[in-house]
Amino acid sequence: RGMRNVQRGGFSYVTFYFFCPHVFLCLSLLCLIGSLLGHPQCLDYRPPFQPPFHLEFCSAYENFGCCDQERDNSIAAKYWDIMDYIDPRGHKLCGMYIKDILCQECSPYAAHLYDAENPWTPLRNLPGLCFDYCSEFHFNCYSTISLLTNDKHIQECCKTNKTRFCNLLHLHDEDYCFPNVLKNTALNRNLGSVVEDHKGCLQLCLTEVANGLRNPVLMVHANDRTHRMFVAEQVGVIWVYLPDGSRLEEPFLDIRSIVLATPWIGDERGFLGMAFHPKYKYNRKFYIYYSYMDKNRVEKIRISELKVLASDANKADPRSERNLLELEEPAANHNGGQLLFSVDGYMYLFTGDGGKAGDPFGKFGNAQNKSTLLGKVLRIDVDGKSPDGKPYRIPPDNPFVSDPKARPEVYAYGVRNMWRCAVDRGDPVTKKGRGRIFCGDVGQNRFEEIDIIVKGRNYGWRAKEGFECYDTKLCHNSSLDDILPIFAYGRNVGKSVTGGYVYRGCESPNLNGLYIFGDFMNGRLMALQEDKKTNKWKKQDICIGSTRACAFPGMISSYSKFIISFAEDEAGELYFMSTSYPSAYAPHGSLYKFIDPARRAPPGKCKYKPVPVKTKSKRIPFVPRAKTVLELLNEPSTTKPLKKSSTPTAAIPTVSSRKAKKTPSTKIKASTVKPAPSGKKRQKIKAEAKLHKTKQEEKVAHISRTTPAPPLPKKKSFHLTRNKKLLPKKATLAKEKLEKRRNESRLRSSS
């Protein structure tokens, strides 16, 4: 066995050579997962790509593969160096063989051909060749082996021994050896497209970016080219994450003493929204949206402006807070919480309808009453002041500025409780779709909906829920003039929508134009694709964790179940935040990044150089907690290949998310969504949340934010005794002392 280090694509590999074997030997790990990991992957452990320019030499892979023009030129130079040592007859006889072998570095299955799908597996010096092809090559061109590899062991062992040489290059799965891999229609069908399972579920992967967060409600960037990420916890703390993945030890802002948040499961109050001013780079301003209680014990929503310290770009100045708007909340739920700036430079605010169930406030409810700011989309100009003394200006083209019965801040109305909205950046090339605002509006009892915000329009609540009537009398009012959602789903799909983003990033070009969102209650991830001809939206589920699809370094196969929010970084890449225990004080929240395993952008296209920021606080390196797919496959207990995943089907616990029914607070266990195995009988994922329903929950089970709940009970310390029973430590110690005394008395009596 020979071994040497090889440099390939910026990585250092350890290369093993098995020489003179009668039977091809493989490492135990390769034997275990060799066939399982056969998926498109390059020698740098990443997905293939579409080369931006024509490949002159390895032209078979110019549409999709692992080589850009620079690598193609390098392989061509190596080819001509080899051919300089071969006579004209050899040129004609062996030239195509040598070219094919060298160009396998450009194959979309290069990693499989070179045993490089796993960073810990040995890299072949030559690609895996099918036996017949290998035999022909050896018969005609065995003398060129010394030109293709300078390893003396291979040269001495296999130059004259065809069987040994071809056994060395043999692959465990015949479909993937060259040239069979080119002829296999199953492997090459839809190559480079988003992978779908037999049910049409999109196979995407995740990387863990942050963990240990207390109900992370949002992540935003400052659009200042620093590529920092600001992650806010529901309790009122904002953390700074740097481009290298580390987190600053000191928070950007800590207003826990002001923010109204409780440990009650599902409590919607707390720190809810944040947005940086479009000109933050010059004025250092940002805005926050949070729950608080005034001196008279009245619960309110406050929207404020703050500034970042001039002396530290990673520290906000809490003393700079300037109140822009305060809204009294008649109930503890439906608090809205989204702040954002659209392409017009104005701030958009999304408020809830005031809470309880069915918007019972007034004759038509808050949402249909344009004279109140609850249940609305508001638009204001934070760079001016109103003549009446308000600390903001009303945009002159707001739709109801001339209506004496309407508040001028109202931009759209008839919304219930929009939870997470986002502005579409538009297609990177055509800019189509730029400026559209997508929102997820949480339903009452039957439907969750996705809306695109249009100026002056009525979104129907409480007359309608989704596409159907909720309040029949209001619904049949001819003056309703409501706008329908672009998509709505019922309780068989989910119970509490979390709005997402239209993907416009660089790293996963296949995802461009997909609106990705989820459901808080059951952890389901979904995508909407717009039909350009009909302008209708088609829904597809997103499946995370297919072992075959996600067997890349750093990629994981599970995520915390309760999806709280989605986010977009400065480069346009897409993330989501979730927790396994939805309490504002429970540090079980994580941040995940979406990855398309089928295709990436060409090397160098997505590179950016963050503007450096001076840091005064200590940097805390990121330590992942989730096991990657490769780590799971590498575990000794792994004996069977994991099957493809399907949509998470975990039982839905009765935890309210922005809902309205009154039930007592309950406890649930920490929950994680894992892919459901597929086989003859697909096992159902058991409910990971144990909840006690009251009589009011028999029809619709939700947790109320209007009924105070007791704090979580303290855990007792337990000790496992020999008879496997759990006893309190004190009782165990007493029992041990008694037994010790008995033993001592026996010894005395025997002596």
Side-chain angles (χ1 to χ4, degrees), residues 613-632:
V613 177
K614 291 182 180 180
T615 57
K616 296 183 178 181
S617 177
K618 179 183 176 183
R619 299 186 183 206
I620 301 175
F622 170 62
V623 179
R625 294 179 181 174
K627 286 190 176 181
T628 67
V629 170
L630 292 180
E631 287 173 336
L632 292 171

Side-chain angles (χ1 to χ4, degrees), residues 322-360:
R322 180 173 73 98
N323 292 348
L324 295 182
L325 185 64
E326 289 192 355
L327 304 174
E328 185 174 329
E329 281 287 341
N333 58 344
H334 298 189
N335 304 299
Q338 184 69 53
L339 290 181
L340 58 82
F341 285 91
S342 189
V343 294
D344 56 14
Y346 296 132
M347 179 193 280
Y348 290 73
L349 306 88
F350 300 79
T351 64
D353 65 5
K356 296 187 178 180
D359 193 5

